[in-house]
């Protein structure tokens, strides 16, 4: 697997990427990509969850192999941490082709995208993360590349300008985004397969945790895995991060084996509650309840009051709060749901005693 950094240098996926890439994605803050790469499943059998997507992909791959053609371009969307990059790696391994990984903010100049396209070999997969952030020029270079496998390059100025059509090898583009709605129509239309990744069930996450524990030589009971899974917000990236924290706790305070009690005790200490909410999530709900009577209130106001970035709130906190039914999105802003009030142990406005 090749990871392309922002300056177009190919990295070998061994950790230099984070130092070179100035763009810190909110979902990656404090997250070690090297660790994530080391535990990524490489086959459909070891990739847990997303069963509908896996079944569709297996058929698509089989058909492409029978036809001896590259795969259709694919778009995966959904909240961060659900395995969009991982599934792209599994697809590449299954097809027996290389994958080049980059992200839209690293493709700022036309020569960035041109350079990558020209470096591709037949059948290879190009993975572009955060594809909704691609600029107009890069998008327009991609259209003929995706559709006809050509690069349309203009040389010279105004009247003397000539368009040069450069053939490209047949490749597959896999785009990933947390915001499918922000993709332009023409770009979206060029993907043959568009699939949403779903949050994982507790059982699926417990299996992810047990698999990771085995790779990292961490001892954990079934109930210990379930306890961590319940607080992982349906997200394998979070489950894998928590298992490391809980295992540190188990090692230092106990005999090293994670059971249900140890898992719960250490997650309580990390201030991750039984819904998987952390201090920022709870601060967000409390803010709307205490300062804005439960809402609706605009996202910019919330972000400013919490001293957080709007994107972090939108991409990291909100998807799970919405899915868990604790928060509601309305045209006038965000509102805390009755479940959100109950989760924080607060009375709904209608339940509060009126003094006058
Ligand atoms: N680690 C992260 N995501 C995973 C998944 N879907 N299956 C197995 N291990 C994982």
């Amino acid at each position: 697997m090749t990871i392309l950094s922002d300056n177009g240098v190919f990295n070998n996926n061994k950790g230099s990427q984070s130092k070179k890439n100035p763009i810190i994605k909110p979902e990656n803050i404090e997250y070690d990509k090297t660790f994530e790469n080391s535990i990524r499943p490489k086959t459909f059998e070891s990739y847990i969850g997303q069963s509908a997507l896996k079944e569709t992909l297996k058929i698509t791959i089989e058909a492409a192999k029978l036809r001896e053609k590259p795969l259709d371009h694919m778009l995966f969307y959904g909240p961060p941490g659900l395995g969009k990059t991982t599934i792209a790696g599994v697809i590449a391994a299954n097809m027996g082709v290389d994958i080049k990984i980059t992200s839209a903010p690293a493709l700022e100049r036309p020569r960035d995208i041109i350079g990558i396209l020209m470096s591709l070999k037949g059948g290879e997969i190009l993975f572009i993360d955060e594809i909704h952030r691609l600029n107009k020029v890069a998008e327009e270079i991609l259209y003929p590349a995706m559709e006809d496998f050509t690069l349309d390059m203009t040389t010279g100025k105004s009247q003397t300008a000539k368009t040069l059509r450069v053939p490209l090898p047949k490749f597959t583009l896999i785009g990933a985004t947390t915001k499918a709605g922000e993709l332009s129509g023409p770009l979206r239309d060029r993907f043959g397969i568009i699939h949403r990744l779903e949050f994982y069930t507790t059982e699926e996450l417990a299996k992810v945790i047990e698999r990771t524990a085995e790779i990292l030589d961490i001892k954990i009971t079934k109930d210990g895995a379930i306890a961590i899974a319940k607080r992982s917000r349906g997200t394998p990236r979070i489950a894998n991060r928590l298992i490391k924290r809980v295992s540190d706790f188990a090692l230092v305070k106990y005999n090293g084996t994670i059971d249900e009690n140890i898992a719960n005790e250490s997650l309580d200490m990390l201030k991750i509650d039984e819904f998987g909410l952390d201090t920022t999530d709870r601060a967000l709900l409390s803010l709307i309840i205490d300062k804005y009577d439960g809402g609706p209130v605009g996202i910019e106001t919330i972000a400013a009051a919490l001293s957080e970035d709007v994107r972090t709130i939108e991409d990291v906190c909100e998807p799970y709060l919405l899915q868990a039914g604790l928060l509601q999105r309305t045209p006038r802003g965000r509102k805390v749901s009755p479940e959100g009030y109950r989760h924080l142990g607060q009375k709904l406005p209608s339940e509060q005693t009126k003094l006058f």
Side-chain angles (χ1 to χ4, degrees), residues 3 153 243:
I3 295 176
M153 288 202 277
I243 189 176

Side-chain angles (χ1 to χ4, degrees), residues 132-145:
H132 62 279
R133 295 176 67 186
L134 216 53
N135 63 45
K136 201 83 214 112
V137 177
E139 246 188 50
E140 273 167 15
I141 293 171
L142 261 187
Y143 295 157

Side-chain angles (χ1 to χ4, degrees), residues 1 3 10 32 34 40 83 118 123 144 175 182 194 220 225 241 244 254 256 261 268 270 278 285 296 326 344:
M1 186 191 293
I3 295 176
F10 294 5
D32 179 355
T34 330
R40 270 190 212 287
M118 293 196 51
E182 286 187 16
I194 300 184
I220 188 163
R241 184 165 56 200
K244 276 181 64 179
Y254 297 95
N261 287 336
D268 285 346
L270 292 168
D278 61 17
L285 296 175
L326 303 173
L344 291 190

Side-chain angles (χ1 to χ4, degrees), residues 43-244:
T43 61
F44 282 119
E45 291 66 41
S46 56
Y47 186 102
I48 296 152
Q50 310 296 346
S51 46
L53 173 60
K54 282 197 296 188
E55 288 320 304
T56 313
L57 287 175
K58 281 187 204 165
I59 291 173
T60 309
I61 290 173
E62 194 61 40
K65 282 182 181 167
L66 288 171
R67 290 197 185 102
E68 295 182 22
K69 290 240 168 90
L71 290 166
D72 270 355
H73 304 303
M74 303 181 194
L75 179 70
F76 297 141
Y77 68 98
L82 299 188
K84 296 185 279 290
T85 315
T86 308
I87 198 83
V90 171
I91 295 168
N94 225 275
M95 286 294 289
V97 298
D98 265 352
I99 177 166
K100 285 189 173 132
I101 299 182
T102 187
S103 79
L107 305 173
E108 213 173 289
R109 302 158 302 180
R111 71 164 190 249
D112 298 323
I113 181 98
I114 291 172
I116 290 170
L117 289 170
M118 293 196 51
S119 77
L120 294 172
K121 297 188 198 74
E124 252 179 26
I125 292 177
L126 172 61
F127 181 85
I128 305 183
D129 202 6
E130 298 190 79
I131 195 155
H132 62 279
R133 295 176 67 186
L134 216 53
N135 63 45
K136 201 83 214 112
V137 177
E139 246 188 50
E140 273 167 15
I141 293 171
L142 261 187
Y143 295 157
M146 290 174 76
E147 217 156 319
D148 310 318
F149 302 107
T150 57
L151 257 180
D152 289 347
M153 288 202 277
T154 317
T155 56
K157 290 212 176 104
S158 53
Q159 276 122 339
T160 60
K162 280 199 189 114
T163 314
L164 203 65
R165 299 209 98 190
V166 181
L168 289 172
K170 293 197 168 58
F171 68 100
T172 300
L173 175 68
I174 301 185
T177 178
T178 50
K179 294 201 170 87
E182 286 187 16
L183 224 66
S184 75
L187 183 56
R188 202 169 344 131
D189 291 346
R190 285 171 170 82
F191 288 99
I193 295 174
I194 300 184
H195 212 289
R196 183 188 139 93
L197 273 80
E198 305 293 342
F199 281 112
Y200 289 59
T201 63
T202 301
E203 291 68 33
E204 287 167 345
L205 284 181
K207 284 191 196 146
V208 170
I209 290 165
E210 286 179 307
R211 176 182 176 273
T212 304
E214 197 170 329
I215 296 171
L216 300 180
D217 211 10
I218 291 170
K219 291 185 192 64
I220 188 163
T221 65
K222 180 96 204 151
D223 288 345
I226 292 172
I228 300 177
K230 280 184 181 159
R231 301 197 196 192
S232 298
R233 315 164 62 112
T235 308
R237 181 179 293 164
I238 295 179
N240 284 333
R241 184 165 56 200
L242 292 183
I243 189 176
K244 276 181 64 179

